[in-house]
């Protein structure tokens, strides 16, 4: 499962990283509010159609479960932070920040996510992860510092743009930690709800402020482009991100997701022909060291599992040794989801803070 979490987190990072320079292409044709709304509407509508198609053809055996009880409150709070405030701050930041710089600054999301997970949500974070965060923060400081000298003799710019991008990262960090609390529910449902709610709110605010789509004939093309970018960079990426949260926790998922800005930075240099600055190069090295420290972490020690009962997708591994005795269950297909009980267990293996490993260190 740790390998599954790492893989899905990195795939999520690739999709989201590519969405940043692509959004930069659209931000001149749409207001930040409208662009943020269309990105999330594309995510919600696209995933909703996929969910509908799968529901019509799915097996009767339940592989995922829906949201329940207090999980709805956690999800709504996550949507407010990451689905409304975060995208708008990023879109405003992109209007005053080179796309390559903004892409690398997005590394701060992983740092903020880990800090909140550690100090607020009490998730275990070791010294190697902290060292990686220090390197990433140092790279972000270099990027945000005004007046960095470029390799071709020009000058870069600091200002409020990088601050807005950093604020967006903080909102997404809050979102990540809140979403972890609902990560045992269906990731596609979570991403669909986030997309529809956040998209509707942002488009509504844009219209209330007097914004509108570009005049025809470019309107349809611009809107469709934004929604497609949103479906892949926000929708599919978020589904993969929630799967990673389920398996490896918020801090480590955020750490793996820190590879997203490098994808975006490389794409930005190719798309916009932006100059390579000394600050950009130094930041890339510092952030690369930080991400490497995160990716090479090895967490292995003897630990106890207390008795617990919950419902989530699983296979019959060392942590799931229950039987299916009811004839109503039919043949067992893995992974599957149902309410099950865990007995006390003590063992040792490599693990991360998933739903079964929330112990203190």
């Amino acid at each position: 499962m740790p390998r599954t979490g790492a893989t899905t987190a990195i795939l999520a990072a690739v999709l989201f990283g590519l969405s940043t320079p692509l959004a930069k292409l659209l931000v001149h044709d749409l207001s930040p509010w409208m662009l943020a709304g269309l990105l999330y509407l594309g995510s919600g509508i696209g995933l909703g159609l996929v969910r509908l198609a799968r529901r019509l053809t799915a097996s009767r055996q339940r592989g995922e479960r829906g949201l329940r009880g207090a999980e709805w409150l956690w999800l709504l709070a996550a949507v407010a932070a990451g689905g409304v405030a975060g995208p708008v701050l990023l879109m405003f930041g992109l209007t005053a920040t080179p796309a390559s710089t903004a892409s690398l600054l997005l590394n701060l999301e992983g740092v903020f996510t880990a800090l909140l997970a550690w100090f607020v949500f009490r998730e275990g974070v070791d010294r190697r992860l902290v060292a990686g965060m220090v390197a990433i923060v140092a790279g972000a400081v270099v990027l945000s510092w005004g007046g960095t000298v470029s390799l071709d003799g020009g000058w870069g710019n600091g200002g409020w743009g990088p601050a807005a991008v950093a604020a967006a990262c903080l909102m997404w960090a809050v979102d990540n930690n809140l979403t972890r609390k609902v990560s045992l529910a269906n990731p596609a449902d979570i991403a669909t709800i986030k997309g529809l709610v956040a998209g509707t709110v942002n488009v509504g605010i844009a219209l209330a402020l007097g914004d509108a789509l570009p005049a025809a004939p470019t309107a349809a093309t611009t809107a469709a482009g934004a929604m497609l970018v949103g479906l892949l960079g926000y929708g599919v990426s978020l589904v993969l991100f929630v799967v990673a949260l389920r398996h490896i926790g918020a801090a480590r998922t955020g750490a793996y997701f820190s590879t997203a800005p490098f994808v975006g930075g490389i794409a930005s240099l190719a798309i916009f022909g932006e100059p390579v600055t000394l600050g950009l190069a130094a930041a890339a090295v510092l952030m690369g060291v930080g991400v490497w420290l995160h990716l090479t972490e090895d967490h292995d020690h003897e630990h106890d599992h207390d008795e617990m009962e919950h419902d989530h997708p699983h296979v019959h591994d060392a942590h799931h040794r229950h039987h299916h005795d009811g004839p109503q269950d039919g043949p067992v297909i893995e992974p599957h989801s149902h309410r099950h009980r865990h007995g006390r267990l003590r063992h040792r293996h490599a693990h991360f803070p998933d739903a079964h490993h929330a112990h203190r260190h």
Side-chain angles (χ1 to χ4, degrees):
M1 289 309 177
R3 180 174 296 178
T4 298
T7 301
T8 54
I10 291 174
L11 288 175
V14 170
L15 289 175
F16 183 70
L18 290 173
S19 74
T20 301
L22 293 177
K24 178 77 172 179
L25 290 172
L26 299 167
V27 78
H28 298 296
D29 297 324
L30 297 166
S31 73
W33 286 106
M34 184 63 73
L35 178 53
L38 289 176
L39 287 170
Y40 268 101
L41 275 182
S43 164
I45 293 173
L47 289 175
L49 292 174
V50 172
R51 289 286 293 138
L52 178 61
R54 292 193 62 182
R55 182 166 296 180
L56 295 175
T57 60
S59 166
R60 295 182 64 184
Q61 182 149 356
R62 186 161 61 96
E64 295 281 357
R65 69 166 177 84
L67 291 156
R68 296 174 177 171
E71 289 179 337
W72 283 100
L73 297 178
W74 291 116
L75 180 58
L76 289 176
V79 169
V84 178
V88 173
L89 286 167
L90 176 61
M91 295 308 111
F92 274 111
L94 285 175
T95 63
T97 309
S100 57
T101 299
S103 294
L104 286 176
L105 276 172
L106 290 176
N107 269 301
L108 288 175
E109 179 184 345
V111 176
F112 291 149
T113 297
L115 290 175
L116 289 175
W118 191 8
F119 291 108
V120 178
F121 294 93
R122 302 298 181 183
E123 185 177 300
V125 180
D126 62 22
R127 288 177 294 181
R128 189 179 189 88
L129 211 58
V130 174
M133 286 190 292
V134 170
I136 292 172
V137 169
V141 170
V142 171
L143 277 178
S144 301
W145 201 271
T148 53
V149 183
S150 68
L151 296 181
D152 60 3
W155 290 82
N157 294 309
W160 62 266
V165 176
C169 292
L170 178 59
M171 290 298 98
W172 279 319
V174 173
D175 178 3
N176 294 340
N177 279 278
L178 295 179
T179 300
R180 193 209 165 185
K181 289 186 169 292
V182 302
S183 61
L184 294 185
N186 192 325
D189 287 349
I190 293 171
T192 301
I193 293 168
K194 277 190 173 185
L196 292 175
V197 174
T200 301
V201 169
N202 282 311
V203 169
I205 292 174
L207 294 174
L209 293 175
D211 293 331
L213 291 169
T218 61
T221 302
T222 302
M227 295 179 77
L228 179 59
V229 171
L231 172 59
L232 298 176
Y234 286 67
V236 178
S237 176
L238 179 56
V239 171
L240 295 169
F241 190 88
V242 174
V243 172
L245 286 174
R246 176 185 292 176
H247 293 311
I248 59 177
R252 287 158 181 83
T253 299
Y256 284 109
F257 199 71
S258 295
T259 56
F262 292 98
V263 176
I266 293 171
S268 298
L269 294 174
I271 293 173
F272 299 103
E274 295 174 356
V276 178
T277 65
L278 289 175
L280 187 66
V285 171
L286 288 168
M287 291 181 173
V289 170
V291 170
W292 174 78
L293 287 169
H294 287 167
L295 294 174
T296 54
E297 179 197 11
D298 182 21
H299 189 76
D300 185 340
H301 63 87
E302 193 169 49
H303 55 277
D304 293 306
H305 293 269
D306 295 328
E307 289 186 4
M308 65 183 303
E309 184 175 339
H310 59 180
D311 182 351
H312 67 94
H314 61 277
V315 297
H316 288 176
D317 55 15
H319 297 96
H320 299 89
R321 296 176 174 174
H322 53 267
H323 298 285
H324 292 250
D325 299 324
Q328 71 279 4
D329 292 337
V332 177
I333 301 174
E334 295 184 339
H336 56 263
S337 177
H338 61 87
R339 194 157 192 85
H340 56 277
R341 179 179 294 276
H342 295 272
R344 291 186 179 276
L345 175 65
R346 182 176 181 82
H347 60 178
R348 176 171 185 165
H349 63 93
H351 62 278
F352 294 96
D354 58 16
H356 304 98
H357 299 92
H359 52 266
R360 299 292 182 88
H361 295 82

